[in-house]
Amino acid sequence: MNILRNGVIFCICMLAVLLLSCKGRKHDAAYYMEMVDSIRKAETVKDIQQKAGIYDNPVDAWFDTLAIHTLPIQSAGSNLWQIGHFVSVPMTINEYFGYPVSAHLKALALPKAYRRPVFMVAEMVDSITPRLYLYTMDSRHQPIDQLCIYEQKDEDREDDFGQTAMEYYITSQYEITLIIYYQSHDRERKPELVNSRRFIINRDGMFEETIIEL
């Protein structure tokens, strides 16, 4: 408790100095007073540091820079810009998603599920082709589970060749519907439904498959 009390006093003092130094700016007084109230309500020193914008770990700082995209989200194919503002993942962060430093990743934050951080990560197969995953993480940004929600693959059949593609839809309750279809090289043929599956995020942060009700 002494550590927490000292942390609160220190942060409030620092904010007071900032407040006095910014008197000439519009809205600064109200902004800093709200921050002081927020810090007073913090339960731990870590909460105080985050609310005041202070980070011991640069990894935590980077993850907190990601804007949160609201749900629902509908598949936009390979057009990432239609989904939201993806940010390039620094090479030093790649390992948190299970990738080597050489991988080219982009990330987008989503609303938490059962207080667990959720991210959409695009692995750039080439300069224009992404493979999309959903990641759930713990409070230390260690991955709990992942689910591929979009990719394209070439497919050779006995009587045809073309591509299989995966599309997705994510509801505001994190019901994730995945649809896999085959498109012949002959574009006059209609896409063929291959499979459809549905997942939810359970309380343990795992992607759990559920039955699709017809």
Side-chain angles (χ1 to χ4, degrees):
M1 291 303 294
N2 288 334
I3 295 176
L4 177 58
R5 188 181 302 109
N6 292 337
V8 171
I9 293 172
F10 172 76
C11 289
I12 290 176
C13 289
M14 292 298 295
L15 289 173
V17 172
L18 289 172
L19 176 59
L20 290 173
S21 65
C22 299
K23 273 187 175 180
R25 300 181 186 175
K26 265 188 173 181
H27 307 303
D28 278 350
Y31 170 80
Y32 283 108
M33 287 310 297
E34 284 183 11
M35 188 175 286
V36 168
D37 289 340
S38 178
I39 288 174
R40 282 173 177 160
K41 295 175 183 177
E43 296 179 355
T44 66
V45 172
K46 184 177 180 181
D47 290 339
I48 294 171
Q49 291 175 331
Q50 288 183 347
K51 291 178 185 297
I54 303 169
Y55 294 89
D56 290 330
N57 188 339
V59 173
D60 293 338
W62 182 82
F63 274 102
D64 278 358
T65 63
L66 299 178
I68 298 176
H69 191 290
T70 57
L71 300 176
I73 298 179
Q74 185 170 354
S75 180
S78 60
N79 299 316
L80 297 182
W81 60 270
Q82 290 187 2
I83 301 172
H85 181 58
F86 281 80
V87 175
S88 293
V89 177
M91 292 186 297
T92 53
I93 304 291
N94 282 2
E95 63 178 288
Y96 287 83
F97 297 109
Y99 282 88
V101 295
S102 58
H104 183 194
L105 307 179
K106 296 183 179 182
L108 179 73
L110 300 179
K112 290 184 177 182
Y114 297 108
R115 298 185 179 181
R116 301 181 189 278
V118 183
F119 300 93
M120 183 180 289
V121 177
E123 175 193 359
M124 302 307 297
V125 179
D126 53 42
S127 60
I128 59 173
T129 307
R131 183 181 292 119
L132 282 179
Y133 292 87
L134 291 182
Y135 276 79
T136 53
M137 291 187 160
D138 62 20
S139 59
R140 297 173 300 168
H141 294 113
Q142 295 298 315
I144 298 173
D145 201 6
Q146 68 184 72
L147 178 68
C148 182
I149 61 172
Y150 174 79
E151 66 175 339
Q152 290 183 345
K153 291 181 179 179
D154 293 332
E155 182 171 328
D156 291 325
R157 296 185 171 185
E158 291 184 1
D159 58 347
D160 193 26
F161 66 92
Q163 282 189 329
T164 56
M166 180 185 294
E167 304 288 347
Y168 60 90
Y169 183 79
I170 308 170
T171 71
S172 55
Q173 287 77 41
Y174 273 119
E175 293 176 335
I176 306 155
T177 301
L178 304 180
I179 299 174
I180 303 173
Y181 63 89
Y182 170 78
Q183 175 62 63
S184 170
H185 74 286
D186 181 359
R187 294 298 173 173
E188 293 186 358
R189 295 188 184 183
K190 293 182 180 180
E192 172 190 330
L193 177 64
V194 176
N195 194 8
S196 59
R197 305 171 72 184
R198 181 168 294 167
F199 296 82
I200 61 169
I201 301 177
N202 64 27
R203 292 183 178 275
D204 295 323
M206 305 293 291
F207 293 102
E208 180 181 311
E209 188 166 4
T210 64
I211 296 175
I212 298 178
E213 296 180 4
L214 302 178

